[in-house]
Amino acid sequence: MRRLWEIFLVSLKLGCTSFGGPTAHLGYFQNEYVQKRKWLSDHDYSQLVALSQFLPGPASSQVGMGIGLLRGGLFGSIVSFVGFTLPSVFLLMAFAYFFAHTRMDMGWIHGLKLVAVAIIAQAVFEMSKKLIPSIHHFIIALLALVVVLLWVHPFAQVTTIIVASFIGFHFFKKTNHKDEPKETVVPISKTTGVCFLALFVILLVGLPIVSPLIQYEWFTIIEKFYLSGALVFGGGHVVLPLLEAQFVQSGLMSSSDFLAGYGMTQAVPGPLFTFASYIGMVIAGVPGTIIATIAIFLPAFLLIVGAMPYWLALNRFAGLRGAMAGANAAVVGILAAAFIHPIVTQTIQNGLDIVIAAVFLWCLIRWKVQPYLLVLVGICVGIVCY
C-alpha cells in the first residue's frame, strides 16, 4: 500500500506540472522516474517508450501506466494513470461547466479557436516529418485525406486506418536487429497479458455491434469513446478527428463547443486525451465525464498491460511494424483532413483570422512557444480584437 501511495503522489505531481504535450511529458517522466528516482534504467525506459509508440493510444499515458506496472503491478498501473490524469480532468470539467453557463458571444472563445488552428497545423507539420519518410507513405496519407473529406461518416477514419494498416503490413516490412530490446522482467504472466489483449479485441469488435441493438444512451457513449481511444495512432492530436466524427457529425455537440474545448485542452497539464473529459461533461455532466475518461483510456490500459509480457516478440515482428507505419501515414492524412474541415472552414472567417492564426503558428514553430502560453495570448487577442 505504501508503494502504491508513492506511485500515486509522484504521478499526481507530474499530472499537475507536465505541460507541452506527449513529447514533453516523456521528458518529464525520464527526469522524474529514471534520473531522480531510478525506478527503472535508461534502457528499460527507452524500450517502454518504443512500445508505447508501437501501440495505439496516448503514448505518455501508456508510458506512465507501464512504469506503474513495473513498480507496483496492476494496481500500480491504475494509480499511476489516476494520478497523472486527475488534474487535467478536473480543470476541463470546470471549464466545461463555466462555458455552459456563460453562453454570451465572447471574443475570447474565437481567440481560443484560432489557437487550435495553429496547434493542429503544427501537429500536421511535425508528424509529417516523422511519419512520411517516402513517396509511398505520402500517397497513403494523401488518399486518407481525400477519403475522409469525401466520405463523411463516423467510421470513415477507423476504416481508413485499418486499410492502411493492411497495406503497411504487406509493403513496409523491415527488419532491424540492432533495435531489438533485451528481455525486461514484467510482474504479470503472459496468460494475464493474453486475457487483457483478448478483452481489448472483444470490446473493439463487440461494442459497435451491440450498441445499435441495445440503443442505450450510456452504452452508445462508451462505444464512441472506446473506439476513438482504441484507434489513435501517432499521438494525442489524432484523437481530434475521431472524436469530431463521433460527437460533432452525429449531432451530440456543436462544432463551436468542440473547438473551444480542444483549444482549452492545450492550456492544461497532463494528457491530451482528457479532452474526452470535457466532451463528457458537455453532453452528460459529471457522470459523462467519468464514463468518457474511463472509456477512452481503457484501450490504452488493456494494450500496455497485455503487450508488456510479450514486449520482445512484438517489437521483433516486422509485419506489425509495417502495419504501424501504414497506420501512421494514414493518420497524418486524417489529421490534415480534420484541419481543413471543420477546424479551418469553421474558424477562419476573414483576413484578420488568417493573420492571427499564421502568427500563432510562427510562434509555435519558430520561437517554440509553449501551447499553454499561446492559449493565454489567444484569449487576450480574442478579447481585444473580437
Side-chain angles (χ1 to χ4, degrees):
M1 182 60 70
R2 183 175 181 180
R3 176 168 289 193
L4 293 178
W5 184 246
E6 179 188 27
I7 294 171
F8 173 76
L9 291 178
V10 174
S11 61
L12 181 65
K13 169 191 170 184
L14 289 167
C16 292
T17 58
S18 295
F19 291 91
T23 302
H25 297 167
L26 296 178
Y28 290 118
F29 286 3
Q30 202 274 341
N31 179 69
E32 184 70 30
Y33 290 125
V34 180
Q35 295 184 6
K36 184 178 177 181
R37 299 184 180 274
K38 302 188 185 303
W39 284 4
L40 68 168
S41 66
D42 282 308
H43 175 268
D44 285 350
Y45 181 74
S46 66
Q47 295 305 323
L48 182 56
V49 171
L51 180 62
S52 70
Q53 298 291 343
F54 176 83
L55 297 171
S60 59
S61 294
Q62 284 177 312
V63 170
M65 293 173 188
I67 293 173
L69 180 67
L70 293 174
R71 181 71 176 172
L74 283 176
F75 287 108
S77 181
I78 294 172
V79 299
S80 178
F81 155 71
V82 172
F84 184 60
T85 308
L86 272 183
S88 55
V89 169
F90 284 137
L91 288 171
L92 289 171
M93 282 177 61
F95 174 75
Y97 179 83
F98 170 77
F99 187 54
H101 290 79
T102 315
R103 301 307 299 182
M104 72 280 284
D105 184 18
M106 295 177 293
W108 66 271
I109 294 297
H110 192 67
L112 208 54
K113 295 179 184 178
L114 292 175
V115 172
V117 170
I119 288 174
I120 299 303
Q122 184 205 25
V124 173
F125 175 72
E126 296 294 338
M127 289 175 63
S128 64
K129 292 194 300 182
K130 298 177 181 178
L131 304 179
I132 310 294
S134 71
I135 185 64
H136 303 96
H137 293 78
F138 175 77
I139 291 173
I140 291 176
L142 182 61
L143 290 175
L145 184 151
V146 173
V147 168
V148 172
L149 283 179
L150 297 181
W151 184 26
V152 182
H153 191 276
F155 289 105
Q157 291 87 352
V158 174
T159 304
T160 302
I161 290 173
I162 293 174
V163 172
S165 298
F166 278 107
I167 294 173
F169 182 86
H170 291 287
F171 294 102
F172 294 151
K173 293 181 179 180
K174 291 182 180 180
T175 301
N176 187 354
H177 295 288
K178 294 181 180 179
D179 293 333
E180 291 177 359
K182 299 177 182 178
E183 284 284 2
T184 301
V185 178
V186 180
I188 60 171
S189 67
K190 289 185 177 181
T191 301
T192 302
V194 168
C195 292
F196 275 79
L197 292 176
L199 181 57
F200 167 81
V201 174
I202 290 170
L203 292 174
L204 180 63
V205 176
L207 286 175
I209 296 174
V210 176
S211 181
L213 301 177
I214 295 179
Q215 294 185 342
Y216 181 58
E217 180 183 4
W218 289 111
F219 199 90
T220 301
I221 292 175
I222 292 172
E223 180 255 328
K224 290 179 180 296
F225 280 112
Y226 184 89
L227 197 65
S228 298
L231 294 166
V232 172
F233 290 85
H237 289 290
V238 183
V239 78
L240 173 75
L242 294 174
L243 290 176
E244 192 274 337
Q246 295 287 357
F247 293 97
V248 177
Q249 293 181 20
S250 63
L252 290 175
M253 68 184 303
S254 70
S255 178
S256 177
D257 289 351
F258 184 86
L259 290 176
Y262 188 78
M264 192 62 192
T265 304
Q266 312 304 317
V268 301
L272 292 174
F273 264 46
T274 51
F275 179 40
S277 307
Y278 164 85
I279 295 176
M281 184 70 176
V282 170
I283 62 179
V286 175
T289 294
I290 296 172
I291 290 175
T293 305
I294 294 174
I296 200 167
F297 280 101
L298 181 58
F301 174 72
L302 295 176
L303 282 172
I304 196 69
V305 173
M308 283 185 69
Y310 299 91
W311 199 333
L312 187 61
L314 280 172
N315 206 30
R316 280 181 175 169
F317 189 26
L320 287 180
R321 290 203 301 271
M324 176 84 171
N328 281 338
V331 299
V332 174
I334 291 172
L335 190 58
F339 174 71
I340 295 171
H341 179 78
I343 296 173
V344 169
T345 58
Q346 299 188 19
T347 301
I348 303 299
Q349 301 173 355
N350 51 48
L352 179 61
D353 288 347
I354 296 175
V355 172
I356 293 174
V359 171
F360 286 165
L361 180 60
W362 179 261
C363 291
L364 287 169
I365 295 177
R366 187 70 176 86
W367 293 338
K368 309 298 182 183
V369 175
Q370 291 295 317
Y372 69 91
L373 294 176
L374 198 64
V375 166
L376 298 177
V377 174
I379 290 174
C380 295
V381 169
I383 292 173
V384 173
C385 298
Y386 300 97

